[in-house]
Amino acid sequence: MAIAQQAALSKQIPLMYFILMVNTWGVAITHLPVAPFFLTVIVPSVMTAACAVRMLQWGLRVRRPAASADQAIAELRRTNRIAWVLAGIFAGWGIGLTPYGDSFMQSHVAFYMGITVIGCIFCLTHLLPAAMAVTFVVNIAFVAYFGLTGNAIFMAMAVDVGLVSAAMLMVLWVQYRDFMRLVVSRRELEKKKNALEKRELELVDEQRQTEALSEENRKLANMDSLTGLANRRFFFSSLDEMIDQLTPDSDPIHVGLIDLDGFKPVNDVHGHKAGDELLLQLASRLARTGHGRALVARLGGDEFAFLLQTADPAAPKKLAEEICGVCREPFVIAGAMIEAGASIGFASSALCREEMTRLYDQADFALYQAKRNAPGTAVAFSPEHHHSLSRQTVIEHAFRDGSVNQHISLAFQPIFDVTNNAVTAFEALARWHHPVLGPVSPAEFIPVAERLGHIKQLTHTLLSMALQEARFWPHHIRLSFNLSARDLSSSDHSMRLLALIANSGIEPSRIDLEITETAILTDLERARVIADAFRSAGIGISLDDFGTGYSSLMHLHSMPLTKIKIDRSFVTNIEDDPASVKIVRSLIRMADDMGLDCIVEGIETKAEMATICDLGGRFIQGYHISRPLTAADARAFAEGARASLAS
């Protein structure tokens, strides 16, 4: 245990001394004009020298760990003693500076002591006595001094630091306890491993025992170590064997894939141990449900599968629905009730015998449809899915060989300002005409690009094309461009997009980047940071399909938006729908109150446009104004500057 503690501390304590030196000189430098030379230079120099020596000593131990437990124990005890001394010196020095300077400098000292003790607590995670010593000494000095100043702010800071330090010590105790358990468990595992290796050597001399061990190894190779179910290797070998033995008269083969819904939150909230327990309970339920009917296997993570061969076409659906049912039943883990559920996709060789080797891919496609459209249910691979999967395979091939770039293009749909009776912007829309498939919708090829990891390059290509075309428009006309969820997941990618815009010759203030709530929900904080970077460059940020997400209002508050686009679902036949009228009127007014431009999408009739205008809508977009135009037609439309709305 002591050796493990010393090994862990050798990586953390040098960081602690670095924190102490940086924080100390940060305070000393700010007090140079007001405090004595002894306190601002001599004392910090001595403290820095002591820290540097200890930092070097601990740094060397990273390469030369303790050779014995006695050496490690001696070093840990020495560290405990030094912790009291250093804590007293640093706390005393900080208190000694407080009489000098104004209230800002006193606050700096308070901040120094508070942040330093927190940093030390983190760095001394694996040596609880030392962490408690530092906390006790510094907090006593901090709370005693600042708590008795009579200043309400300092008193509040003293209470705050004391409570936070206490809470952090509680967290530290839990981590320290878990660390100790981990070390003990590792040691026990090593002992068990050594005993097993010894036993295996003994079995070499006995043929019967060797054969028994060989059989056991074969089982282990085909069994999932956590759940005891068949593993991925055994599942696919069984599937291949069944396909090889299939004849025209054989019963169809059915493959089902099971994906547990909500497993990641269980791991994140309750820990991996609870996640493993959930998988064990689920495996037990699956084994009981499939017993005597199907092979049930764990493929990895929270993904399971079943395999059966039967002439009954209803059997796989019945089994899948039963599995969905048992997965919806609550799981009891560590006294807590946890609800999960499962989505299932299954496929049958009866649908397409000439593609039996793709049964797994077909089941996976059906699972994707289940998770996207009907989570918690079972979806069978259908002829429609077969058509979609065939198209998807062609699309994937086009992305992999790069031929997509030869046929991708852009269309531009005008955004009209009814107040000035003029075009104010064009939204760039991706268009792809595949030589075999014909027109491919963005709703079809964008998800494939995201799944294959090609979306960022595709975005870069399309944005480059859009910027090149926007150079031919009048300077008052803006470019609106859509970003995907993956585009908001990487700071490096966003910097490349900013560089592309900066080098395009187009003013960033003429560009609006449209994002959806789906993109934001992927990682709200990262999306906000990246959106802030775009806004800092002068680029506008529009929230597309506004009103369709459950958290739209939260995004108005948290994201640096300049525009919202009201979803077309509120506009269709709005002249005959009082509820839609009220919603759109409220959204237009809200956007106006928040200083945001509001674009109403999907206007397809003269009556819809008249209603939007009556409600105060200014910016509109839809087929009534214009369908998406080719680049040449967009130029002509832009150069016209004004369009008639009477038609």
Side-chain angles (χ1 to χ4, degrees), residues 239-240 243 246 253-255 347-363 365 381-383 385-391 393-394:
L239 176 59
D240 291 341
I243 292 175
L246 197 66
I253 302 171
H254 309 275
V255 174
S348 171
S349 64
L351 178 63
C352 195
R353 277 184 175 257
E354 64 272 14
E355 294 187 359
M356 287 182 297
T357 55
R358 301 197 64 196
L359 272 177
Y360 177 85
D361 294 334
Q362 294 172 353
F365 188 83
F381 186 79
S382 65
H385 291 157
H386 183 270
H387 175 71
S388 298
L389 183 58
S390 298
R391 287 178 59 87
T393 302
V394 176

Side-chain angles (χ1 to χ4, degrees), residues 46-93:
V46 173
M47 293 159 60
T48 299
C51 289
V53 170
R54 290 295 292 168
M55 181 188 295
L56 180 61
Q57 291 174 343
W58 277 101
L60 292 175
R61 289 187 180 90
V62 175
R63 297 184 178 182
R64 296 198 298 271
S68 66
D70 291 338
Q71 292 180 359
I73 292 172
E75 181 57 43
L76 295 178
R77 289 175 176 172
R78 183 162 52 252
T79 301
N80 284 331
R81 293 192 297 270
I82 292 174
W84 287 94
V85 176
L86 285 181
I89 293 174
F90 278 85
W93 177 75

Side-chain angles (χ1 to χ4, degrees), residues 17-30 39-40 43-45 47-48 51 90 93 97 108 112 116:
Y17 284 115
F18 175 79
I19 292 172
L20 288 173
M21 290 189 292
V22 169
N23 289 351
T24 298
W25 282 108
V27 174
I29 291 172
T30 59
L39 285 177
T40 57
V43 174
S45 298
M47 293 159 60
T48 299
C51 289
F90 278 85
W93 177 75
L97 285 176
H108 189 185
Y112 157 77
T116 300

